[in-house]
Amino acid sequence: MSADAEKVAGELRAQLPEPHGPVLPGDRHRLLREHLMNEIHQTRVQDKAREGKAPAAVRPRRNRAWYAVPAGMVAAGALAFTFLAGPGGSGGDTGYHLSAAPVVKVEVGSANGVGALMENVAERASQGPAARVGVNQFVYVRSHYSNMQAEVGSPFKLKTYYREAWTSQNPDKVQSRLKQPGDDIVWSAPREGDEGLAEWNRNHTYAALEKLPTEPDALLKKLREDAAYSGSSDQNLFNYVAGLINENILPPETGAAIYRAAAKIPGVVALDRAQDGDGRPGVALARTDERDHERKELVFDANSYDYLGMRAYLVQNTELGKKGTVTEMQAVLDRGVVDSRDETPAK
């Protein structure tokens, strides 16, 4: 590797957590990884130019939105947050499992099956209990999660761990919490510099979601407008919808409308065979990002059509890895409404 590439790699490694250090949210890992791969590609082009070889055309890569959680709260601007002392802190057992990224079969998707699949999912969502979430309550979600641990010069690994998220429903005072190995973080807003956090929270509480349009075309237009801060691509819209689903509780009518709207996103396909982050089998709504050839699947139980989780992997060989290499996984294990950010749902 050239000196320039080594310098870039060193700078980017400094931004990524060590295997036993604090965890960045999954999409932040992906943003840094995308930047890393772009820098490596640029460096290779420059090296070839120095050697007198014709460089390949370089297409600028756009950074993705950082749909961090709970519920994408840190997507915009600075945060005020507090690290809580206690088990899982950076001085104790990491709670991580590092392993080689698995390689899965890339199934053939069908655009023709999208409508039927999402209608079944929407019907299931519409029949769910209207478990209203009060203004002083929290949406709790526990997940089994895997994201990339990238390092230049060697194949990346997947870092797997359990995470818990408490998403505040108070539109005026955010006290959400994210707990995962090495981190126990409470976000507080509004404070100076946290306007973006407060605005996101106001727009994504249960009460706010109830006010969204329920006609699929009107809702899709609204969701596209909401996702526009991260770029106007259909993939950003798909990722935004995934962020609404992953660590949230949707009002039944709104949830049904979101799934019907998702079926209208250009480029989505239905998959008859998929797996979530725990290996649970299901069916999926998926879309491939044309920028980096990575497919993201939203996985549902094939019988109940309940949401199980998410998986992402490469659909062709790239600089990051070979076709079928898994880059991210999630399995939702528990979801409910609690009265404080120190509680979990009653069993």
Side-chain angles (χ1 to χ4, degrees), residues 181-210:
D183 294 329
D184 195 347
I185 309 170
V186 170
W187 282 271
S188 300
R191 285 173 55 171
E192 185 177 355
D194 292 341
E195 292 80 7
L197 169 59
E199 181 180 2
W200 174 276
N201 192 78
R202 282 193 296 270
N203 293 336
H204 294 84
T205 62
Y206 188 95
L209 293 173
E210 278 189 311

mmCIF file of all heavy atoms in Angstrom, residues 181-210:
data_model
loop_
_atom_site.group_PDB
_atom_site.id
_atom_site.type_symbol
_atom_site.label_atom_id
_atom_site.label_comp_id
_atom_site.label_asym_id
_atom_site.label_seq_id
_atom_site.Cartn_x
_atom_site.Cartn_y
_atom_site.Cartn_z
ATOM 1 N N PRO A 181 -22.990 -2.633 24.672
ATOM 2 C CA PRO A 181 -21.695 -2.878 25.308
ATOM 3 C C PRO A 181 -20.731 -1.718 25.114
ATOM 4 O O PRO A 181 -20.468 -1.291 23.994
ATOM 5 C CB PRO A 181 -21.195 -4.143 24.601
ATOM 6 C CG PRO A 181 -22.444 -4.848 24.201
ATOM 7 C CD PRO A 181 -23.406 -3.758 23.819
ATOM 8 N N GLY A 182 -20.236 -1.188 26.229
ATOM 9 C CA GLY A 182 -19.303 -0.077 26.179
ATOM 10 C C GLY A 182 -19.954 1.282 26.268
ATOM 11 O O GLY A 182 -19.294 2.265 26.566
ATOM 12 N N ASP A 183 -21.248 1.357 26.010
ATOM 13 C CA ASP A 183 -21.954 2.638 26.005
ATOM 14 C C ASP A 183 -23.265 2.527 26.767
ATOM 15 O O ASP A 183 -23.982 1.541 26.641
ATOM 16 C CB ASP A 183 -22.300 3.085 24.584
ATOM 17 C CG ASP A 183 -21.076 3.409 23.757
ATOM 18 O OD1 ASP A 183 -20.086 3.862 24.340
ATOM 19 O OD2 ASP A 183 -21.122 3.208 22.541
ATOM 20 N N ASP A 184 -23.561 3.549 27.528
ATOM 21 C CA ASP A 184 -24.886 3.711 28.125
ATOM 22 C C ASP A 184 -25.162 5.204 28.074
ATOM 23 O O ASP A 184 -24.667 5.967 28.899
ATOM 24 C CB ASP A 184 -24.910 3.175 29.556
ATOM 25 C CG ASP A 184 -26.326 2.990 30.083
ATOM 26 O OD1 ASP A 184 -27.252 3.512 29.428
ATOM 27 O OD2 ASP A 184 -26.506 2.343 31.118
ATOM 28 N N ILE A 185 -25.908 5.627 27.064
ATOM 29 C CA ILE A 185 -25.981 7.027 26.702
ATOM 30 C C ILE A 185 -27.408 7.546 26.836
ATOM 31 O O ILE A 185 -28.350 6.898 26.390
ATOM 32 C CB ILE A 185 -25.509 7.255 25.251
ATOM 33 C CG1 ILE A 185 -24.139 6.607 25.029
ATOM 34 C CG2 ILE A 185 -25.459 8.738 24.914
ATOM 35 C CD1 ILE A 185 -23.714 6.586 23.583
ATOM 36 N N VAL A 186 -27.544 8.715 27.423
ATOM 37 C CA VAL A 186 -28.824 9.412 27.481
ATOM 38 C C VAL A 186 -28.693 10.693 26.675
ATOM 39 O O VAL A 186 -27.781 11.483 26.901
ATOM 40 C CB VAL A 186 -29.238 9.739 28.928
ATOM 41 C CG1 VAL A 186 -30.450 10.671 28.934
ATOM 42 C CG2 VAL A 186 -29.551 8.470 29.691
ATOM 43 N N TRP A 187 -29.587 10.873 25.693
ATOM 44 C CA TRP A 187 -29.634 12.106 24.929
ATOM 45 C C TRP A 187 -30.590 13.074 25.602
ATOM 46 O O TRP A 187 -31.692 12.686 26.002
ATOM 47 C CB TRP A 187 -30.123 11.845 23.505
ATOM 48 C CG TRP A 187 -29.085 11.276 22.602
ATOM 49 C CD1 TRP A 187 -28.200 11.957 21.825
ATOM 50 C CD2 TRP A 187 -28.836 9.887 22.366
ATOM 51 N NE1 TRP A 187 -27.413 11.082 21.118
ATOM 52 C CE2 TRP A 187 -27.791 9.802 21.429
ATOM 53 C CE3 TRP A 187 -29.387 8.702 22.846
ATOM 54 C CZ2 TRP A 187 -27.292 8.598 20.964
ATOM 55 C CZ3 TRP A 187 -28.890 7.495 22.392
ATOM 56 C CH2 TRP A 187 -27.847 7.463 21.469
ATOM 57 N N SER A 188 -30.180 14.310 25.732
ATOM 58 C CA SER A 188 -31.008 15.325 26.365
ATOM 59 C C SER A 188 -31.192 16.500 25.415
ATOM 60 O O SER A 188 -30.226 17.012 24.861
ATOM 61 C CB SER A 188 -30.353 15.830 27.658
ATOM 62 O OG SER A 188 -30.167 14.768 28.571
ATOM 63 N N ALA A 189 -32.433 16.941 25.269
ATOM 64 C CA ALA A 189 -32.728 18.101 24.425
ATOM 65 C C ALA A 189 -34.082 18.663 24.876
ATOM 66 O O ALA A 189 -34.867 17.968 25.506
ATOM 67 C CB ALA A 189 -32.785 17.697 22.954
ATOM 68 N N PRO A 190 -34.406 19.905 24.622
ATOM 69 C CA PRO A 190 -33.577 20.818 23.829
ATOM 70 C C PRO A 190 -32.500 21.503 24.649
ATOM 71 O O PRO A 190 -32.730 21.889 25.784
ATOM 72 C CB PRO A 190 -34.595 21.845 23.336
ATOM 73 C CG PRO A 190 -35.651 21.857 24.398
ATOM 74 C CD PRO A 190 -35.712 20.464 24.945
ATOM 75 N N ARG A 191 -31.331 21.601 24.075
ATOM 76 C CA ARG A 191 -30.238 22.411 24.592
ATOM 77 C C ARG A 191 -29.596 23.080 23.401
ATOM 78 O O ARG A 191 -29.841 22.711 22.253
ATOM 79 C CB ARG A 191 -29.209 21.536 25.334
ATOM 80 C CG ARG A 191 -29.700 21.078 26.705
ATOM 81 C CD ARG A 191 -28.756 20.076 27.341
ATOM 82 N NE ARG A 191 -27.390 20.596 27.428
ATOM 83 C CZ ARG A 191 -26.420 19.972 28.107
ATOM 84 N NH1 ARG A 191 -26.669 18.839 28.739
ATOM 85 N NH2 ARG A 191 -25.205 20.491 28.148
ATOM 86 N N GLU A 192 -28.779 24.071 23.642
ATOM 87 C CA GLU A 192 -28.166 24.802 22.545
ATOM 88 C C GLU A 192 -27.429 23.847 21.615
ATOM 89 O O GLU A 192 -26.617 23.033 22.055
ATOM 90 C CB GLU A 192 -27.193 25.854 23.097
ATOM 91 C CG GLU A 192 -26.595 26.741 22.016
ATOM 92 C CD GLU A 192 -25.695 27.814 22.586
ATOM 93 O OE1 GLU A 192 -25.610 27.929 23.832
ATOM 94 O OE2 GLU A 192 -25.067 28.531 21.791
ATOM 95 N N GLY A 193 -27.709 23.934 20.335
ATOM 96 C CA GLY A 193 -27.080 23.066 19.349
ATOM 97 C C GLY A 193 -27.848 21.797 19.075
ATOM 98 O O GLY A 193 -27.475 21.031 18.190
ATOM 99 N N ASP A 194 -28.947 21.544 19.810
ATOM 100 C CA ASP A 194 -29.693 20.292 19.660
ATOM 101 C C ASP A 194 -31.024 20.475 18.950
ATOM 102 O O ASP A 194 -31.919 19.650 19.088
ATOM 103 C CB ASP A 194 -29.949 19.673 21.034
ATOM 104 C CG ASP A 194 -28.682 19.176 21.683
ATOM 105 O OD1 ASP A 194 -27.697 18.980 20.956
ATOM 106 O OD2 ASP A 194 -28.687 18.991 22.909
ATOM 107 N N GLU A 195 -31.165 21.533 18.182
ATOM 108 C CA GLU A 195 -32.442 21.790 17.538
ATOM 109 C C GLU A 195 -32.828 20.652 16.593
ATOM 110 O O GLU A 195 -34.003 20.293 16.481
ATOM 111 C CB GLU A 195 -32.394 23.119 16.779
ATOM 112 C CG GLU A 195 -32.284 24.358 17.673
ATOM 113 C CD GLU A 195 -30.864 24.607 18.154
ATOM 114 O OE1 GLU A 195 -29.935 23.899 17.689
ATOM 115 O OE2 GLU A 195 -30.665 25.510 18.984
ATOM 116 N N GLY A 196 -31.839 20.104 15.883
ATOM 117 C CA GLY A 196 -32.133 19.006 14.963
ATOM 118 C C GLY A 196 -32.667 17.791 15.687
ATOM 119 O O GLY A 196 -33.602 17.131 15.229
ATOM 120 N N LEU A 197 -32.074 17.467 16.831
ATOM 121 C CA LEU A 197 -32.530 16.340 17.644
ATOM 122 C C LEU A 197 -33.959 16.559 18.123
ATOM 123 O O LEU A 197 -34.804 15.673 18.038
ATOM 124 C CB LEU A 197 -31.593 16.158 18.842
ATOM 125 C CG LEU A 197 -32.018 15.198 19.952
ATOM 126 C CD1 LEU A 197 -32.228 13.802 19.412
ATOM 127 C CD2 LEU A 197 -30.979 15.193 21.053
ATOM 128 N N ALA A 198 -34.236 17.752 18.620
ATOM 129 C CA ALA A 198 -35.572 18.044 19.124
ATOM 130 C C ALA A 198 -36.609 17.985 18.005
ATOM 131 O O ALA A 198 -37.712 17.463 18.195
ATOM 132 C CB ALA A 198 -35.582 19.414 19.794
ATOM 133 N N GLU A 199 -36.247 18.499 16.829
ATOM 134 C CA GLU A 199 -37.182 18.479 15.713
ATOM 135 C C GLU A 199 -37.478 17.055 15.271
ATOM 136 O O GLU A 199 -38.623 16.695 14.993
ATOM 137 C CB GLU A 199 -36.631 19.283 14.541
ATOM 138 C CG GLU A 199 -37.574 19.316 13.340
ATOM 139 C CD GLU A 199 -37.014 20.110 12.183
ATOM 140 O OE1 GLU A 199 -35.871 20.602 12.292
ATOM 141 O OE2 GLU A 199 -37.721 20.241 11.173
ATOM 142 N N TRP A 200 -36.421 16.218 15.182
ATOM 143 C CA TRP A 200 -36.627 14.814 14.813
ATOM 144 C C TRP A 200 -37.576 14.149 15.806
ATOM 145 O O TRP A 200 -38.515 13.454 15.423
ATOM 146 C CB TRP A 200 -35.292 14.066 14.777
ATOM 147 C CG TRP A 200 -35.478 12.587 14.549
ATOM 148 C CD1 TRP A 200 -35.744 11.631 15.477
ATOM 149 C CD2 TRP A 200 -35.445 11.913 13.292
ATOM 150 N NE1 TRP A 200 -35.873 10.404 14.882
ATOM 151 C CE2 TRP A 200 -35.710 10.542 13.538
ATOM 152 C CE3 TRP A 200 -35.228 12.336 11.977
ATOM 153 C CZ2 TRP A 200 -35.751 9.597 12.523
ATOM 154 C CZ3 TRP A 200 -35.274 11.377 10.973
ATOM 155 C CH2 TRP A 200 -35.538 10.035 11.243
ATOM 156 N N ASN A 201 -37.339 14.380 17.081
ATOM 157 C CA ASN A 201 -38.171 13.733 18.094
ATOM 158 C C ASN A 201 -39.633 14.182 17.973
ATOM 159 O O ASN A 201 -40.550 13.371 18.068
ATOM 160 C CB ASN A 201 -37.643 14.061 19.489
ATOM 161 C CG ASN A 201 -38.285 13.200 20.550
ATOM 162 O OD1 ASN A 201 -37.922 12.050 20.719
ATOM 163 N ND2 ASN A 201 -39.250 13.758 21.267
ATOM 164 N N ARG A 202 -39.862 15.463 17.759
ATOM 165 C CA ARG A 202 -41.232 15.962 17.624
ATOM 166 C C ARG A 202 -41.948 15.302 16.455
ATOM 167 O O ARG A 202 -43.147 15.036 16.511
ATOM 168 C CB ARG A 202 -41.220 17.481 17.434
ATOM 169 C CG ARG A 202 -41.007 18.272 18.715
ATOM 170 C CD ARG A 202 -41.317 19.743 18.499
ATOM 171 N NE ARG A 202 -40.411 20.367 17.544
ATOM 172 C CZ ARG A 202 -39.257 20.945 17.884
ATOM 173 N NH1 ARG A 202 -38.872 20.963 19.155
ATOM 174 N NH2 ARG A 202 -38.487 21.502 16.970
ATOM 175 N N ASN A 203 -41.222 15.033 15.378
ATOM 176 C CA ASN A 203 -41.836 14.502 14.160
ATOM 177 C C ASN A 203 -41.977 12.986 14.156
ATOM 178 O O ASN A 203 -42.595 12.438 13.230
ATOM 179 C CB ASN A 203 -41.020 14.935 12.934
ATOM 180 C CG ASN A 203 -41.075 16.422 12.703
ATOM 181 O OD1 ASN A 203 -42.018 17.088 13.131
ATOM 182 N ND2 ASN A 203 -40.058 16.960 12.047
ATOM 183 N N HIS A 204 -41.406 12.300 15.166
ATOM 184 C CA HIS A 204 -41.414 10.835 15.120
ATOM 185 C C HIS A 204 -41.922 10.195 16.404
ATOM 186 O O HIS A 204 -41.674 9.011 16.653
ATOM 187 C CB HIS A 204 -40.010 10.328 14.768
ATOM 188 C CG HIS A 204 -39.602 10.712 13.376
ATOM 189 N ND1 HIS A 204 -39.061 11.950 13.097
ATOM 190 C CD2 HIS A 204 -39.701 10.060 12.205
ATOM 191 C CE1 HIS A 204 -38.828 12.029 11.790
ATOM 192 N NE2 HIS A 204 -39.213 10.907 11.238
ATOM 193 N N THR A 205 -42.613 10.956 17.211
ATOM 194 C CA THR A 205 -43.314 10.341 18.345
ATOM 195 C C THR A 205 -44.525 9.586 17.825
ATOM 196 O O THR A 205 -44.965 9.760 16.678
ATOM 197 C CB THR A 205 -43.775 11.410 19.339
ATOM 198 O OG1 THR A 205 -44.711 12.281 18.678
ATOM 199 C CG2 THR A 205 -42.598 12.226 19.868
ATOM 200 N N TYR A 206 -45.090 8.758 18.682
ATOM 201 C CA TYR A 206 -46.293 8.013 18.316
ATOM 202 C C TYR A 206 -47.397 8.987 17.909
ATOM 203 O O TYR A 206 -48.088 8.789 16.902
ATOM 204 C CB TYR A 206 -46.739 7.153 19.500
ATOM 205 C CG TYR A 206 -47.866 6.191 19.193
ATOM 206 C CD1 TYR A 206 -47.599 4.873 18.833
ATOM 207 C CD2 TYR A 206 -49.202 6.592 19.280
ATOM 208 C CE1 TYR A 206 -48.629 3.981 18.557
ATOM 209 C CE2 TYR A 206 -50.235 5.720 19.012
ATOM 210 C CZ TYR A 206 -49.947 4.412 18.651
ATOM 211 O OH TYR A 206 -50.965 3.535 18.383
ATOM 212 N N ALA A 207 -47.555 10.061 18.681
ATOM 213 C CA ALA A 207 -48.599 11.044 18.390
ATOM 214 C C ALA A 207 -48.378 11.709 17.038
ATOM 215 O O ALA A 207 -49.332 11.945 16.286
ATOM 216 C CB ALA A 207 -48.649 12.096 19.499
ATOM 217 N N ALA A 208 -47.130 12.020 16.707
ATOM 218 C CA ALA A 208 -46.834 12.648 15.420
ATOM 219 C C ALA A 208 -47.078 11.679 14.267
ATOM 220 O O ALA A 208 -47.597 12.067 13.208
ATOM 221 C CB ALA A 208 -45.399 13.151 15.394
ATOM 222 N N LEU A 209 -46.702 10.410 14.459
ATOM 223 C CA LEU A 209 -46.900 9.415 13.406
ATOM 224 C C LEU A 209 -48.382 9.193 13.118
ATOM 225 O O LEU A 209 -48.765 8.897 11.984
ATOM 226 C CB LEU A 209 -46.229 8.098 13.796
ATOM 227 C CG LEU A 209 -44.698 8.125 13.862
ATOM 228 C CD1 LEU A 209 -44.169 6.821 14.433
ATOM 229 C CD2 LEU A 209 -44.100 8.395 12.490
ATOM 230 N N GLU A 210 -49.207 9.335 14.154
ATOM 231 C CA GLU A 210 -50.653 9.192 13.957
ATOM 232 C C GLU A 210 -51.203 10.246 13.000
ATOM 233 O O GLU A 210 -52.256 10.039 12.392
ATOM 234 C CB GLU A 210 -51.381 9.316 15.292
ATOM 235 C CG GLU A 210 -51.417 8.051 16.112
ATOM 236 C CD GLU A 210 -52.332 8.178 17.307
ATOM 237 O OE1 GLU A 210 -52.217 9.190 18.034
ATOM 238 O OE2 GLU A 210 -53.172 7.285 17.511
#
